[in-house]
Amino acid sequence: MDRKVRCAVLGLGRLGKIHAENIAGKIKGAQLVAVSDVMPGVAETFAREHEVKYWSTEPDAIIARDDIDAIIVVTPTSTHAELARKVARSGKALFLEKPISTDIQVARRTASVIEEAGITCQLGFMRRFDPAYAHARDRIAAGDIGTPLYFKGVTRDPFVAHEEYVATCGGIFTDLNIHDFDIARFLMGQEIVEVNAMGSVLASPIVAKYDDVDQALTYLRFADGAAGDVEGYRNAKYGYDIRAEVIGTEGTLVIAGLRNHNVTLLGPNQGSFDIIPFFMERFETAYLRELEHFIECLHRDAKPAVGINDGLIAQEIAHAAKTSCQTEQKVRVNVHGLRNEHFSS
């Protein structure tokens, strides 16, 4: 594609605004043509402030436009699948925030529709584009730690979201730890074939109302026998805490993201540093880089590094973890997805 990619953003919540602002002012090969949000006034105000030509409260009206090449879907999780299928059938390129759906059967059907449509589709697993995680992947691929043996992931939110979000997000495994499951595959370079998960309600009784937990631990077994564990917590209070480790035969990589600035204040018998408040600050660069990659793929007619199959497999792992937690049994993971090309990127 020689001209700029004409983009639309559906959903202007916290993350949707980040994506829309990146498209509007930070990605040279893209042009923000339209925005949509179901809340009255939101899309209109954003369009006016950022000189976006079209806005609507109806996402279908945006999808139907002929002057749009790509659509970025950042709407509530419960709407992802339906909108993704509509975009696929329109023939436009799709950037879809995770997860595909809160229901695994719907996710499978939606992935099939996208695959059959043959459109370019990228999933919003931004950790793959974070400089620290990307560098770790390169070091592992170069053999710097030998053969990867164990993965450890930690994701702790500073607080539980409002009840409306808890009711529709799909639960801690699908909403929170799905990022850890995807990055585990990315870093280890192999499939997760079995999970054993457990969880508790420790500090947020509201999650129990929706058959969810606010603390979860998932043990992983990979295809070649490597192991791992993933921790998720909804109510850390102190800040947004994302960490990972990969232990290999010749060394260990530690990816830590707790500090907001690389500055430590030392005083008498104490030290302190600023903690990252939330995900927007921690992954600011990653959100920009993932959309840059999406736009670059459209210009080069290339396949995105993290596609619909990756999204489906990550959700299969999350589904298996939720089932394991509920049944208190180990659960095998459906690793087949749509095709077996998971690590070609």
Side-chain angles (χ1 to χ4, degrees), residues 47-68:
R48 183 172 60 251
E49 292 175 349
H50 294 83
E51 299 182 349
V52 178
K53 193 172 183 180
Y54 303 110
W55 63 269
S56 178
T57 58
E58 299 292 337
D60 288 359
I62 301 298
I63 295 172
R65 296 194 65 91
D66 293 329
D67 55 353
I68 293 172

Side-chain angles (χ1 to χ4, degrees), residues 7-14 16-17 20-21 24 32-62 65 72 74-75:
C7 299
V9 174
L10 307 184
L12 292 172
R14 293 173 302 185
K17 285 182 179 178
E21 289 169 355
L32 185 60
V33 173
V35 292
S36 174
D37 195 280
V38 296
M39 295 296 292
V42 173
E44 180 181 8
T45 299
F46 186 95
R48 183 172 60 251
E49 292 175 349
H50 294 83
E51 299 182 349
V52 178
K53 193 172 183 180
Y54 303 110
W55 63 269
S56 178
T57 58
E58 299 292 337
D60 288 359
I62 301 298
R65 296 194 65 91
I72 294 93
V74 208
T75 53

Side-chain angles (χ1 to χ4, degrees), residues 40-235:
V42 173
E44 180 181 8
T45 299
F46 186 95
R48 183 172 60 251
E49 292 175 349
H50 294 83
E51 299 182 349
V52 178
K53 193 172 183 180
Y54 303 110
W55 63 269
S56 178
T57 58
E58 299 292 337
D60 288 359
I62 301 298
I63 295 172
R65 296 194 65 91
D66 293 329
D67 55 353
I68 293 172
D69 304 307
I71 294 182
I72 294 93
V73 175
V74 208
T75 53
T77 298
S78 59
T79 67
H80 284 185
E82 181 180 3
L83 290 174
R85 293 193 297 269
K86 288 179 178 179
V87 173
R89 290 167 179 145
S90 78
K92 297 175 175 63
L94 170 66
F95 182 98
L96 179 63
E97 275 303 328
K98 63 80 200 168
I100 303 169
S101 171
T102 57
D103 182 286
I104 190 61
Q105 297 295 342
V106 174
R108 291 167 182 163
R109 291 196 297 270
T110 301
S112 294
V113 169
I114 292 170
E115 182 76 359
E116 290 168 6
I119 64 168
T120 298
C121 177
Q122 181 173 327
L123 266 289
F125 287 114
M126 76 292 182
R127 293 189 195 182
R128 293 188 182 216
F129 298 90
D130 177 73
Y133 284 98
H135 179 66
R137 166 67 182 255
D138 290 343
R139 297 290 295 270
I140 293 169
D144 290 355
I145 64 168
T147 302
L149 300 177
Y150 199 92
F151 170 86
K152 186 175 187 66
V154 174
T155 295
R156 297 175 185 165
D157 273 356
F159 51 82
V160 175
H162 54 81
E163 183 172 357
E164 183 180 357
Y165 183 86
V166 172
T168 60
C169 72
I172 195 169
F173 299 104
T174 298
D175 177 55
L176 193 75
N177 284 140
I178 195 169
H179 281 293
D180 300 280
F181 300 145
D182 177 71
I183 209 66
R185 295 179 63 238
F186 178 69
L187 293 176
M188 298 291 283
Q190 54 185 293
E191 295 294 0
I192 297 167
V193 297
E194 186 178 76
V195 298
N196 188 10
M198 60 195 74
S200 305
V201 179
L202 299 181
S204 315
I206 190 174
V207 301
K209 181 178 176 181
Y210 300 98
D211 196 26
D212 197 11
V213 297
D214 63 5
Q215 182 278 331
L217 183 63
T218 306
Y219 291 99
L220 314 174
R221 185 166 68 84
F222 293 85
D224 73 345
D229 68 82
V230 167
E231 177 204 326
Y233 186 45
R234 292 282 200 190
N235 207 27

